[in-house]
Amino acid sequence: MTAIDALVFDFDGTLVDSDDALIRPLLALGVPTEEITFGHAVAEECERFGIPMESYVDLYDDSAAQPFPGVDDVIGRLGRWALCSNKHPRPARSELARLGWNPEVALFADSFDWAHKELGPVLDALALTPDRVVMVGDSAGDVRVAEAVGCRYVWAGWNPRVRAARPHGRVLDRPEQLLDLYG
């Protein structure tokens, strides 16, 4: 893989192990477990389930999600990096502050008019073209975001859900492998 200038990460399921934290408010609001999937825009999911987004956010425990093993050690060693996430900005910013992480750019659901995230605004904020970044994520939605702008993509294989799915494409086994992408 050709060296790049920046990594753009999805947040939930990529950098932090947040599946339980994301599910708990939905369960508390009466959503059946079997209907819950990952990688969606928070507003779209709340609408799909017929629940108020603010109720979901009020029930979200922003102290529950923890970095996947090895991620916190790597974050401080990354070059330029950014977040592109479907997460509501209130818990997202709280989690970033709690973790002490400072991405160069961090765009959340409100930056995309509450629809599914897009990589274009992140690239604009970084002043980079798609060939100069790699998107790192854990879902088919993340792949679509990268493909939509012609950006390279790698899977966060340290997430057990990703490993179990055995997706097509490049799957990193350990967060330390991210450092090799800078070249």
Side-chain angles (χ1 to χ4, degrees):
M1 184 176 280
T2 308
I4 49 96
D5 294 321
L7 295 173
V8 178
F9 293 93
D10 170 55
F11 196 17
D12 289 316
T14 299
L15 294 176
V16 294
D17 188 356
S18 56
D19 286 3
D20 288 339
L22 295 168
I23 290 171
R24 276 189 239 139
L26 294 173
L27 296 174
L29 293 165
V31 176
T33 304
E34 62 274 7
E35 292 185 26
I36 299 171
T37 57
F38 300 96
H40 311 288
V42 64
E44 291 174 352
E45 280 300 272
C46 287
E47 183 177 324
R48 178 170 80 98
F49 294 132
I51 58 175
M53 182 170 55
E54 286 306 313
S55 297
Y56 173 83
V57 173
D58 288 344
L59 290 170
Y60 183 88
D61 179 359
D62 58 11
S63 67
Q66 297 298 317
F68 282 104
V71 167
D72 200 42
D73 296 333
V74 169
I75 288 290
R77 297 169 42 208
L78 291 176
R80 296 179 72 188
W81 69 285
L83 286 177
C84 181
S85 174
N86 285 320
K87 192 176 197 117
H88 191 283
R90 191 172 79 200
R93 293 187 200 300
S94 177
E95 287 174 335
L96 282 177
R98 175 178 55 85
L99 295 167
W101 293 351
N102 296 300
E104 184 174 335
V105 173
L107 298 184
F108 302 107
D110 59 330
S111 298
F112 310 106
D113 293 325
W114 303 102
H116 198 278
K117 65 189 175 195
E118 299 176 20
L119 204 47
V122 177
L123 295 176
D124 291 345
L126 291 169
L128 292 173
T129 56
D131 62 315
R132 302 308 308 159
V133 303
V134 171
M135 174 81 185
V136 183
D138 71 305
S139 72
D142 295 332
V143 173
R144 285 191 301 275
V145 165
E147 288 176 344
V149 297
C151 174
R152 290 171 282 176
Y153 181 83
V154 296
W155 290 93
W158 47 86
N159 178 331
R161 191 168 25 85
V162 170
R163 272 197 312 275
R166 301 181 57 179
H168 293 289
R170 185 165 179 196
V171 179
L172 301 183
D173 298 317
R174 298 175 326 281
E176 301 82 43
Q177 292 172 299
L178 293 165
L179 300 171
D180 297 336
L181 299 177
Y182 290 101

